[in-house]
Amino acid sequence: MKSKKQQIYKPKPSLPSLVPPWLAGVLSAILPGLGQAFARQIRRGILILFSFATIIGLLVWRFRLAAPRDTGFMNIVNKAIYLQPLLTGITVVVGLLYLANIYDAVKLATIAGKPEKSKPFLIFIMLILAFFLLGWQIGQIDLYTLTTSFGDAGPALSRVLWPWSRAISFPEDTWRGIAVLETPCSDNPPPPTATLEDRPYLVVDPTCGEPTIQQATDNSGVEIIPGTTLEVKGYNFVPGVVVDLWWIDPATSQFRQRQEGQNVNVIPDENGEFTIDIIWPYRIIPPSYREGVSEWELQGRQITNVGDWEFSAEFNLAVEKMVETIFIGMMATFFGIILSLPFSFLAARNLMSANSFMLGIYYLVRLILNIIRSIEPLIWAILAVIIVGLGPWAGIIALTIHSIAALGKLYSEAIESINSGPIEAITATGANWFQIIVYGVIPQVIPPFVSFTIYRWDINIRMSTIIGLVGGGGIGYLLTQWIRVLDYRAAGIAVWFIALTVAILDYVSAAIRERFT
Amino acid sequence: MLEIRNLTKIYEDGTLAVDNVSFTVPDGEFLIVIGLSGSGKSTLLRCINRLIDPTEGEILWNGVDLAKLEGDDLRKARRKIGMIFQHFNLVSRSSVMINILAGRLGYARTWPTLLHQFSKKDREKAWDILRRMDIEDQAMKLARELSGGQQQRVGISRALMQDPEMILADEPVASLDPVLAHSILNYLEKLNKEDKLTIICSLHYLDLVQRYATRVVGLRAGKLVYEGTREDIRKMTDEEFKSIYGEEAERITDGIEGALERSELQ
């Protein structure tokens, strides 16, 4: 081993090159690194060969990916360079790398056997540059779009950052003013609506007429015969609040009055009155309702706020789910502590090195903890959702599993780093293993345990917002839904709650940790 | 009587810490082990109560070979051997009282002790010892709040709770100033004279050795290189001195303290 190490740092200066410098250059031109190998720098040669092969391989892949439908070498190259100009730059750098490799081989062969040393700076720089440019190209890095389209995120961002208009709402009530019309006009048309006190009503003139009709024409077009023009007067509406006009046809289905492609609405004056002319609209009505005289109803509807503001449904839901989230984190931490404690003592080397059996348990527990810990809680959550279904319980299971592994490791390391003196002293009194743990180990590990536990609680609450993404309950679940329906204000409320909770928790955990250390 | 025969300890990394050491300690002896740092004093003491398992050799104590004991037998033997340490080895976050009661763990039933429950007798015993050690008013403080001298007295109290027949003291005064060192060794001497406890103590300062030891053994590189009484120490020749502390050590004056200062520097 030792001689090998020396070889790395001190290339043997005694051996001269096997080939003259020009031949080394030619060899490296044929196969990068070959010249270096013949100049007695086999390791460097191998390194150069492998890096060069890797870069060429990546470059070929990128060229083919850029022009997947083309065949023929030149076609692919032309198309790829046209679509991805950066590939030209990479090709140039690879060319320079190739030249640097030849230069390096010549130089190495020249100085081989002399005490001089040559470090492959040029090759190194070209390698870094090539990998950097490849990374840029593979990563599809696009600073132009990033900077020019930055403003596109503005609307969403501003809603997320200041979502509070969505946090409150006003209870609403619908006011209706009604008038009854008939078609076709009978001998006895309905009278104008009676005047009402305190409640809105509509007066329509005339009170009977014909709806708009569509008729097929000879040249297979459609002829529209407009219906009766109605003068609608509204009274007793709330001033300044929009009134929508709705029809209820003889088949009792509701639809809005539309004219020129727009829903018709009107704003009453300060007396709560308005006047508007509308054309009796076209409507397909089942034949059974068309026989004889049928009755239509016109409504003026006004949605008004009644009473004071209140928290919106979204706000209340966010509060509810935030509480749920905190408790998911808490329960997961709680179960995590209980279940990881036994593991932590088994995974502490200083307690488990008494004999080979205990050492075996130590390695086994360590292995299991490492495997569990290396699987993300998100994946545990997906598995838990399969078993127990959507909801907080799945989240608790996922976070508990991860907490056991993480806390088990942290706890066991805390145990491993305790002062062995007290343990020695307690052992010397004739105490058994359990007594040594209770009197020698536990008092020493309480501060780090408390600290790690609080930290874990902190992590679990932050993590439970993520667990919600896959259905593990809590506020993350809401957050994903709101983002998917583009309700950025509601999502913003959730984000604010998460941020506030994490900030408060951070402060609390720091305070608790301070007290225990 | 403690009889150590051909005791050898080789650590896993190959260090030979104690090399074929044999000596005998009659009951009631105040034996002081001297030697440079790393000469094997601590290992030797820890082999006696098996905090470290010896590689070879016998440790016969009242006819029982401690080196062969396992499990419950070992724990029962340990109960009778109190130990005090250079760094006191108290559980710093536990109260003084709990630290002292811990000395009783070998006697008490396991389950109550796991909940910090001790019998009334044990508690009274602890108070008696606290009074004897003049730290009664510190009982409810945390161990870490005490000064060094007080902590070592707690350490002695813990050892006394074991009703020991022998006390192993591993450089008990090395972390203390000279005045405290005398006071701690005075306690040990009292235990030795009044309670007839056998004491095996490792020390660095030869003036303390002269003052307290009834017998002295010297270790160098794990080997026993000196054995003598308190009087022998006073009459120690340069050769004997160098056999313990090495060729480079020099006795600057006739007094041993100066020589020690010198050897300590190395």
Side-chain angles (χ1 to χ4, degrees), chain A residues 419-436 438-440 443-444 446-447 515-517, chain B residues 46 49 51 75 78-79 81 83 85 89-91 93-94 98 102-103 105-106 108-110 113-114 116 118 158 162:
Chain A
N419 181 1
S420 63
I423 296 177
E424 205 176 29
I426 303 288
T427 312
T429 66
N432 60 34
W433 194 81
F434 293 102
Q435 291 170 326
I436 294 168
V438 171
Y439 285 82
Q444 290 197 61
I446 281 177
R515 186 160 296 184
F516 270 89
T517 43
Chain B
R46 280 170 172 71
N49 68 352
L51 288 179
R75 282 196 287 277
R78 274 177 180 159
R79 298 194 306 205
I81 307 171
M83 185 154 190
F85 302 83
N89 288 0
L90 303 180
V91 182
R93 293 186 59 87
S94 294
I98 289 296
L105 287 174
R109 276 173 37 234
T110 302
T113 59
L114 296 188
H116 285 206
F118 286 87
R158 176 171 62 194
Q162 293 174 235

Side-chain angles (χ1 to χ4, degrees), chain A residues 263-338:
Chain A
N263 290 329
V264 172
N265 54 43
V266 60
I267 298 173
D269 61 16
E270 63 271 21
N271 298 321
E273 294 172 8
F274 64 84
T275 306
I276 187 172
D277 286 346
I278 59 171
I279 295 166
W280 200 318
Y282 167 73
R283 186 77 177 163
I284 298 169
I285 292 170
S288 56
Y289 291 102
R290 283 198 299 242
E291 288 162 9
V293 177
S294 54
E295 227 171 51
W296 292 50
E297 197 178 294
L298 183 64
Q299 292 189 350
R301 289 188 190 168
Q302 200 177 28
I303 295 169
T304 55
N305 295 330
V306 292
D308 288 333
W309 66 273
E310 55 188 19
F311 287 115
S312 65
E314 287 78 11
F315 183 88
N316 288 331
L317 203 55
V319 172
E320 251 170 56
K321 289 291 173 181
M322 194 67 238
V323 173
E324 190 179 294
T325 303
I326 293 172
F327 277 92
I328 290 173
M330 199 194 80
M331 292 312 282
T333 313
F334 187 66
F335 290 138
I337 295 168
I338 292 174

